[in-house]
Amino acid sequence: MTQPTEPSAGDAGAEPAKRYEVFFGLALSIFAAVLALNELAGGKYGDDELRLASERTSAYLWYQSKGIKESLAEGQRDLLKALITGGAIRAEQTAGVEARVREVEAELVRYRKEKKEILLGSAKVGRENWAQDVEGKLGQVTGVKELETQLEVLGAAGDRFDLATLFLQICLVLGAVGLIVSQPRFKRIFLGAMVAMGSVGLICSLLGYVKVGIF
């Protein structure tokens, strides 16, 4: 009759090793997927940040051009008023010059409204103060202040996504090393460190999504 064979020490040690390999494989798959989603979001919102930065620069230049036109109009108005006050304009021409002064003052009012709309945005100044059209439509101006607020949000979200990428990459490195080592004690240490780093990376990534209003 054949005697049952006792499990060898090698077979007994193989079971925990296989179990750890399953844990490492599962954790690596999960955190690798999280890293991929995090980098996808970081790239998208990074591109949005670059686009908004370009729009903000254009808006500032637009605002400054209105300021230059306003300054030139103020100079023209002051000059015409000085000519009238100094008697340099003949009496029969005074009415025409005064009409021109009123036209310039109306232009100044328009420039100031346009500057305010470009600075704050159409939504903030209200329909009654819309003065600047975009491609022939009023009320379409995104203000400099609005762009700056959006840039601050995207910048903060980008910092969180970058931090998440760092922790998740460290997590994957720890997982790879944990697969290589043979001692169960070290495998436990690396598995714990891997899960800890991956969890921190996941939290940072979720905070990035929260910042941009996804959750």
Side-chain angles (χ1 to χ4, degrees):
M1 184 174 180
T2 305
Q3 295 295 324
T5 57
E6 293 293 330
S8 65
D11 292 337
E15 283 302 318
K18 288 181 180 179
R19 203 161 50 242
Y20 278 120
E21 286 180 3
V22 172
F23 291 151
F24 274 110
L26 181 60
L28 280 169
S29 300
I30 293 172
F31 290 125
V34 173
L35 176 60
L37 292 173
N38 180 78
E39 290 185 338
L40 184 65
K44 177 189 180 303
Y45 293 115
D47 291 341
D48 289 345
E49 187 176 4
L50 291 174
R51 177 180 54 81
L52 287 177
S54 177
E55 290 182 9
R56 181 187 60 178
T57 301
S58 298
Y60 267 125
L61 292 174
W62 195 14
Y63 179 85
Q64 290 171 358
S65 71
K66 296 296 181 181
I68 292 171
K69 290 180 179 179
E70 181 186 10
S71 297
L72 292 173
E74 285 177 342
Q76 184 181 9
R77 178 202 60 190
D78 294 342
L79 176 60
L80 292 174
K81 283 185 174 182
L83 291 174
I84 294 172
T85 303
I89 306 297
R90 292 198 298 266
E92 62 272 17
Q93 296 176 329
T94 301
V97 175
E98 288 176 343
R100 177 55 187 160
V101 169
R102 288 191 293 272
E103 289 176 1
V104 174
E105 288 177 339
E107 290 177 2
L108 285 171
V109 172
R110 177 168 59 84
Y111 287 141
R112 286 164 187 155
K113 290 179 70 175
E114 289 174 346
K115 283 176 60 182
K116 185 177 180 180
E117 187 174 1
I118 293 169
L119 186 65
L120 301 178
S122 299
K124 292 291 178 66
V125 299
R127 189 183 186 89
E128 66 279 3
N129 292 312
W130 289 353
Q132 181 62 58
D133 67 284
V134 176
E135 296 181 355
K137 295 182 180 180
L138 292 174
Q140 305 297 313
V141 178
T142 302
V144 174
K145 297 296 184 182
E146 291 176 311
L147 292 171
E148 287 180 341
T149 300
Q150 293 176 31
L151 279 169
E152 287 177 3
V153 170
L154 289 177
D159 291 341
R160 287 166 172 76
F161 287 129
D162 290 342
L163 199 58
T165 297
L166 173 64
F167 281 110
L168 288 168
Q169 287 178 342
I170 294 173
C171 159
L172 297 183
V173 170
L174 290 172
V177 175
L179 280 173
I180 295 171
V181 298
S182 58
Q183 293 293 329
R185 176 170 171 270
F186 289 117
K187 281 187 175 293
R188 284 196 299 271
I189 292 173
F190 278 103
L191 181 60
M194 174 191 176
V195 172
M197 288 293 178
S199 299
V200 173
L202 176 60
I203 292 170
C204 290
S205 185
L206 290 175
L207 289 174
Y209 282 109
V210 169
K211 192 65 179 177
V212 295
I214 299 299
F215 299 120

